[in-house]
């Protein structure tokens, strides 16, 4: 059974004891090992969006619902993250900065496809792109080791792959655009 209040309390306790992602990874893994329970607890993924479940200076917990076929542009977090999928699939491309290039240009460095019950920790400096490759929504719990909404970080233009400041509002609008496409 997935109880949101208990899940939040467990994550808060975990980061108060250990600032790394390790204990949170186990908590998220346990949660998404029962996907139907998470769906019962959070509600099925109907609309694309980023739902704040908990947010403090040390910890952010989000319910992220990716619309069908949706992709977001390359970005970093500048804090660790743990991603757990409770329905659907997230295809990740991982990027690295091209050494010595102006403009912070990136190149693809790897990929990982995450499906239901998968849990993936992401390091502090990771740069990634997320695509939902499915014709239905993908739902994931994202936990971050800091205030996801307060840190100034970077995104990369998906066409030129050049770095620029991350714009939260613009990224959140991508979810609304996905909803409009599906309406
Ligand atoms: Fe991300």
């Amino acid at each position: 059974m997935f109880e949101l209040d208990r899940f939040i309390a467990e994550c808060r306790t975990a980061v108060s004891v250990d600032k790394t992602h390790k204990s949170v990874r186990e908590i998220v893994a346990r949660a998404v090992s029962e996907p139907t329970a998470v769906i019962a607890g959070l509600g099925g993924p109907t609309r694309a969006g980023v739902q704040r479940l908990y947010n403090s200076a040390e910890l952010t917990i989000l319910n992220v619902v990716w619309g069908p076929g949706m992709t977001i542009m390359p970005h970093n977090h500048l804090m660790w993250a743990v991603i757990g999928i409770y329905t659907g699939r997230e295809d990740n491309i991982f990027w690295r900065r091209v050494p010595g290039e102006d403009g912070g240009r990136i190149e693809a460095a790897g990929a990982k496809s995450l499906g239901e019950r998968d849990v993936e920790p992401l390091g502090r400096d990771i740069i990634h792109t997320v695509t939902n490759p499915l014709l239905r929504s993908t739902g994931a719990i994202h936990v971050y080791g800091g205030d996801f909404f307060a840190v100034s970080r970077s995104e990369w233009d998906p066409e030129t792959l050049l770095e620029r400041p991350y714009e939260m509002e613009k990224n959140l609008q991508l979810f609304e655009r996905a909803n409009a496409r599906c309406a």
Side-chain angles (χ1 to χ4, degrees):
M1 186 171 174
F2 177 81
E3 285 175 27
L4 180 58
D5 289 347
R6 198 183 62 192
F7 178 80
I8 292 169
E10 286 177 355
C11 289
R12 290 181 66 184
T13 302
V15 293
S16 72
V17 174
D18 173 11
K19 295 283 176 213
T20 76
H21 69 274
K22 286 194 182 118
S23 317
V24 167
R25 188 194 177 285
E26 284 170 28
I27 295 164
V28 175
R30 205 184 317 135
V32 300
S33 71
E34 294 183 79
T36 50
V38 176
I39 289 170
L42 295 179
T46 49
R47 282 176 63 80
V50 175
Q51 181 189 6
R52 287 186 210 205
L53 302 175
Y54 181 79
N55 190 207
S56 73
E58 292 79 35
L59 183 70
T60 301
I61 305 175
L62 306 177
N63 176 27
V64 180
V65 176
W66 305 101
M70 188 181 162
T71 296
I72 53 161
M73 63 194 75
H75 63 277
N76 60 12
H77 305 130
L78 301 182
M79 60 187 72
W80 59 253
V82 173
I83 312 297
I85 313 292
Y86 62 83
T87 185
R89 181 162 293 284
E90 278 191 10
D91 284 347
N92 280 260
I93 298 175
F94 297 109
W95 306 83
R96 65 177 161 235
R97 293 171 189 273
V98 181
E101 279 222 22
D102 290 340
R105 198 167 71 82
I106 51 173
E107 60 187 2
K112 189 149 199 178
S113 184
L114 305 175
E116 199 176 284
R117 296 183 169 85
D118 284 342
V119 179
E120 182 73 6
L122 303 180
R124 186 186 175 283
D125 293 316
I126 209 98
I127 303 168
H128 74 152
T129 318
V130 182
T131 295
N132 172 10
L134 307 181
L135 296 175
R136 66 176 179 90
S137 294
T138 284
I141 297 173
H142 289 205
V143 183
Y144 299 87
D147 186 345
F148 182 81
F149 296 96
V151 168
S152 53
R153 58 194 126 101
S154 297
E155 63 183 33
W156 281 261
D157 182 291
E159 189 162 346
T160 64
L161 299 180
L162 295 174
E163 187 173 11
R164 63 193 183 198
Y166 183 88
E167 285 182 56
M168 181 66 70
E169 269 315 307
K170 187 182 63 190
N171 278 278
L172 293 177
Q173 278 168 19
L174 292 176
F175 290 83
E176 287 312 319
R177 246 187 267 165
N179 287 323
R181 273 202 308 274
C182 293

